[in-house]
Amino acid sequence: MINLLKEVARGKRGARDLNYEESTQAAESILGLTATPAQIGAFLIAERIKLESVEELEAFVSVCRKYAHREPIQEGLDCAGPYDGRTASFIATFPVAFLLSAAGLPVTLHGMSSLPPKWGVTLLDIISAAGIDIRNLTRTDAISAAQRSGVLLVDAEQWCPPLGDIRYIREEIGMRSILNTAEKLIDYSCSPYIVFGIYHNTVFDRISRLLIKLGYQRALVVQGTEGSEDIFIDRPTRVYTVENGSSNLGIIDPESMGLDTPVPEMQWTSRQQLLTAEAVLQGGGHMAFYNQVLLNGAVRLQLAGKVNSVEEGLYICKDLLDNGEAWNVYHNWKSAMLHSGETVNNPA
């Protein structure tokens, strides 16, 4: 690891990108815990300053996948949002997952307890607010719930244990690292489609080239709310569509579809995220969040080839929300999760 550190930590002019074999060696040292905590921290910071290359990212994804439990549980869509959570926006991808499943598209959601730099509300915080004790849920429990509902929710630190082993180092560093990208691409259920959130438009090209290398049938890179995969509902969103070895820049404008809606200021706790999601899944709630779920659902249905246009997807999604089918999927998933593990004293 020392020799690799010397290459990436030589400063602005001297540092170089590692090749794939060197990057694999570095990832193995970190995830296999053969490097010391100081070496791991130094490497992550040096890569952050240098900026990760596509080859380095690909190697880290490959090694993360090697250490993870991955099964072709369901052929559907992987939703790759930020593991450091949200502080100022609605996690639309949570209710969207049940809406998509109701439309016949299985979905995999994944995350872990909050991380720096945002320390926001995460998917696991939401399910805890629903009364589900994630500490007592096994992979078998999550798979069983997915078989009943079409929605798989993965606790990344349970499914890829090395991520939990090095959490303390990432917390002490307090900044983003190459792992913030790699962990989102482990693809636990071997999905052919992925929607991937980014924050800065400067990484569009790198992430698009990485997704091509990883072999997804189709992918959508979204410069979404708080760097998430969620398309904005109050302004246009920049996206890259990746297919057949190429990527194309596009703009999704809710105003052009009559969905543009001002978003109210909210105090986003895990409880408020849950209540907002459940209201939308029952065909109600604030129109901004209802419309945001509709739009994100429609775009993802088109990505996976379930509809021919976003407009067709909007029609289908609205019907599924209003007639209760999306809520029924959520109810089945939640019942399966509640009965798999012990519950906490905070039922929704």
Side-chain angles (χ1 to χ4, degrees):
M1 190 62 165
I2 287 292
N3 291 332
L4 298 175
L5 267 173
K6 289 178 180 178
E7 301 302 326
V8 300
R10 290 182 186 272
K12 195 168 185 179
R13 295 185 179 180
R16 70 168 176 87
D17 293 335
L18 302 180
N19 61 35
Y20 185 84
E21 290 72 23
E22 291 170 325
S23 303
T24 299
Q25 183 183 345
E28 285 281 4
S29 297
I30 292 171
L31 294 165
L33 296 177
T34 58
T36 68
Q39 290 170 341
I40 293 172
F43 182 89
L44 296 179
I45 291 173
E47 280 286 305
R48 176 65 175 161
I49 295 171
K50 178 184 72 67
L51 297 180
E52 309 90 351
S53 70
V54 173
E55 271 195 315
E56 289 170 338
L57 286 166
E58 183 186 7
F60 266 78
V61 171
S62 177
V63 175
C64 281
R65 288 180 172 185
K66 171 187 169 183
Y67 281 94
H69 299 277
R70 302 176 70 232
E71 302 177 50
I73 298 163
Q74 50 187 22
E75 186 171 320
L77 176 71
D78 188 279
C79 296
Y83 281 20
D84 61 354
R86 310 280 192 91
T87 59
S89 63
F90 175 47
I91 305 178
T93 204
F94 180 68
V96 167
F98 305 102
L99 174 59
L100 294 177
S101 180
L105 177 62
V107 174
T108 299
L109 300 173
H110 43 96
M112 61 175 72
S113 298
S114 192
L115 283 167
K118 284 206 300 286
W119 293 110
V121 176
T122 69
L123 290 168
L124 297 192
D125 292 328
I126 296 176
I127 71 167
S128 291
I132 300 166
D133 188 350
I134 59 174
R135 296 166 300 178
N136 291 326
L137 288 170
T138 65
R139 293 193 308 276
T140 301
D141 295 331
I143 293 170
S144 177
Q147 290 169 339
R148 283 186 54 178
S149 66
V151 176
L152 176 68
L153 195 145
V154 169
D155 179 346
E157 289 180 319
Q158 182 187 82
W159 290 59
C160 185
L163 292 178
D165 294 335
I166 61 175
R167 163 183 281 274
Y168 76 100
I169 299 174
R170 299 173 70 184
E171 290 180 348
E172 289 178 359
I173 293 172
M175 65 179 70
R176 290 183 56 81
S177 73
I178 192 170
L179 293 171
N180 287 68
T181 298
E183 66 195 357
K184 291 162 56 178
L185 289 166
I186 293 175
D187 190 12
Y188 294 95
S189 54
C190 307
S191 304
Y193 312 107
I194 186 170
V195 56
F196 187 95
I198 64 168
Y199 190 82
H200 297 289
N201 62 14
T202 54
V203 302
F204 261 131
D205 180 65
R206 255 187 304 160
I207 295 299
S208 297
R209 287 188 285 135
L210 176 61
L211 293 174
I212 290 170
K213 281 178 167 286
L214 293 175
Y216 290 97
Q217 287 184 32
R218 294 193 78 195
L220 190 71
V221 185
V222 179
Q223 190 181 9
T225 56
E226 293 193 73
S228 77
E229 73 277 33
D230 287 340
I231 294 164
F232 290 93
I233 199 62
D234 57 346
R235 59 187 171 95
T237 304
R238 290 165 58 96
V239 300
Y240 260 45
T241 302
V242 180
E243 184 179 15
N244 298 325
S246 63
S247 59
N248 297 291
L249 174 65
I251 301 291
I252 298 176
D253 187 356
E255 185 176 11
S256 68
M257 294 170 248
L259 296 173
D260 183 45
T261 314
V263 177
E265 290 189 13
M266 304 279 288
Q267 296 296 318
W268 288 114
T269 63
S270 55
R271 180 69 175 169
Q272 189 59 56
Q273 290 280 359
L274 174 69
L275 293 176
T276 303
E278 290 188 339
V280 171
L281 286 168
Q282 294 177 83
H286 193 285
M287 188 57 67
F289 307 125
Y290 178 92
N291 283 348
Q292 189 178 25
V293 169
L294 276 184
L295 181 57
N296 278 276
V299 168
R300 296 177 197 187
L301 283 179
Q302 184 190 41
L303 174 69
K306 293 292 185 181
V307 295
N308 295 317
S309 66
V310 173
E311 289 75 16
E312 181 186 352
L314 288 170
Y315 178 83
I316 290 172
C317 288
K318 187 174 190 326
D319 184 57
L320 292 171
L321 285 177
D322 293 348
N323 70 17
E325 290 188 46
W327 174 258
N328 288 339
V329 172
Y330 169 71
H331 178 75
N332 289 336
W333 172 84
K334 182 178 175 181
S335 295
M337 295 285 274
L338 283 169
H339 286 99
S340 293
E342 295 178 4
T343 61
V344 295
N345 295 320
N346 189 22

